[in-house]
Amino acid sequence: MIKETPEGLILKIKIVPNSSKNDIILEQDFIKIKITAQPIENKANKMLIEFLSKTFKVPKTNIEIVKGETSKEKTLFFKINENEKRNDIISRLTK
């Protein structure tokens, strides 16, 4: 689900496009992220990065989809060097 690296965090998520609202749902085995955008012309991916950027106060340029660009299951990389910010994200995603 969440893996720490020296450069940042790697998150494995499942995206649910075309939802009624943007939301993060913590399941036992994975993180589910609901996005209101449709999975057309990369709109859901763009909104996913924008939503996570606002939620965790991380610049959009520091969030990258490294695997699953066209899949509902994605691997994201958060480039974060600050331990405090990393710990904040980890604690919010493992409640």
Side-chain angles (χ1 to χ4, degrees), residues 56-72:
F56 298 118
K57 295 175 178 56
V58 174
K60 288 188 270 190
T61 54
N62 287 17
I63 302 172
E64 178 184 355
I65 299 172
V66 292
K67 187 176 177 189
E69 188 86 22
T70 59
S71 171
K72 287 187 178 185

Side-chain angles (χ1 to χ4, degrees), residues 48-83:
L48 170 67
I49 290 174
E50 194 172 303
F51 172 63
L52 293 173
S53 172
K54 286 180 182 174
T55 301
F56 298 118
K57 295 175 178 56
V58 174
K60 288 188 270 190
T61 54
N62 287 17
I63 302 172
E64 178 184 355
I65 299 172
V66 292
K67 187 176 177 189
E69 188 86 22
T70 59
S71 171
K72 287 187 178 185
E73 293 186 17
K74 300 183 184 300
T75 303
L76 304 175
F77 177 68
F78 282 67
K79 185 177 181 182
I80 304 168
N81 295 324
E82 307 148 35
N83 282 336

Side-chain angles (χ1 to χ4, degrees), residues 19-34:
S19 297
S20 59
K21 66 176 185 168
N22 294 336
D23 199 10
I24 298 174
I25 298 168
L26 304 176
E27 300 280 337
Q28 267 189 321
D29 300 332
F30 57 89
I31 300 166
K32 185 189 295 183
I33 302 179
K34 293 183 170 188

